[in-house]
Amino acid sequence: MCHVIVTCRSMLWTLLSIVVAFAELIAFMSADWLIGKAKPSSSDEVDNRTGGPQEPYRPTLGIYGRCTRISHMQFSRRDTLCGPYAENFSEIASGFWQATAIFLAMGIMILCTVAFVSVFTMCVQSIMKKSIFNVCGLLQGIAGLFLILGLILYPAGWGCQKAISYCGPYASAYKLGDCSLGWAFYTAIGGTVLTFICAVFSAQAEIATSSDKVQEEIEEGKNLICLL
């Protein structure tokens, strides 16, 4: 018989697992990993909001995407265009970024799988006599290692020609040059930290769902068990 068991700790672990998976996925897909050096706008370019000249803008560069401004000569304005600069994996700007993409993709796939499974832990607490929380916690730890490898390798690609075109000639491996780090990089780091927190917290979710109070509720014949 399926017993629906909901506790504060198990629910918090489930929510964190889902948030971490989405955070890493959004960061990976974003073009805001590097913020390039400021590029001045022409004096005849008009800001659509203020009607005055546009301020200098800073293009952004991601692992496989970028955001830049394109000119509309007829209207004397520029629009921001975002999209992938690499049409396939081999066109990613650096071998280090290719490795980063592989490691991050593997970690994100594991996190998304765990996030999906975590939703069903209210009904299923074990698989082949193994705690599903412990299994998911182990997978989250492995995903965290993949994410760390990807984030360590990413700065090694700052010396590629693509990065130099955004960050200036002084950009090199682990040196930003005229660029700065964007929110996607910090989100990926924060998501990695939360991944390890989830891995550790999965043990608390297991303890909460197998406590004596839960067993007493089961013995009383209750199918829906909610504990604070």
Side-chain angles (χ1 to χ4, degrees), residues 30-39 57-63 65 67 97 154-155 158 162-168 170-172 174-187 189:
S30 172
D32 290 326
W33 284 70
L34 284 178
I35 302 175
K37 59 182 179 181
K39 295 184 177 181
Y57 72 97
R58 304 188 69 177
T60 60
L61 180 66
I63 297 172
C67 283
W97 287 4
Y154 172 70
W158 291 345
K162 191 74 172 179
I164 290 174
S165 67
Y166 278 71
C167 304
Y170 297 107
S172 61
Y174 297 96
K175 292 183 180 179
L176 282 170
D178 296 326
C179 282
S180 59
L181 293 171
W183 65 265
F185 182 78
Y186 293 113
T187 299
I189 291 177

Side-chain angles (χ1 to χ4, degrees), residues 102-119:
I102 291 173
F103 284 123
L104 290 184
M106 292 175 65
I108 291 169
M109 286 178 62
I110 295 174
L111 290 178
C112 289
T113 301
V114 171
F116 178 77
V117 172
S118 68
V119 177

Side-chain angles (χ1 to χ4, degrees), residues 16-66:
L16 282 177
S17 298
I18 295 172
V19 168
V20 165
F22 274 104
E24 290 290 346
L25 181 60
I26 291 171
F28 178 72
M29 296 174 64
S30 172
D32 290 326
W33 284 70
L34 284 178
I35 302 175
K37 59 182 179 181
K39 295 184 177 181
S41 299
S42 301
S43 59
D44 59 345
E45 291 176 354
V46 177
D47 191 311
N48 293 332
R49 291 173 297 179
T50 63
Q54 287 191 344
E55 297 180 357
Y57 72 97
R58 304 188 69 177
T60 60
L61 180 66
I63 297 172
Y64 64 90
R66 54 89 180 97

Side-chain angles (χ1 to χ4, degrees), residues 88-110:
N88 53 63
F89 182 77
S90 63
E91 292 184 359
I92 293 178
S94 166
F96 291 108
W97 287 4
Q98 291 176 352
T100 295
I102 291 173
F103 284 123
L104 290 184
M106 292 175 65
I108 291 169
M109 286 178 62
I110 295 174

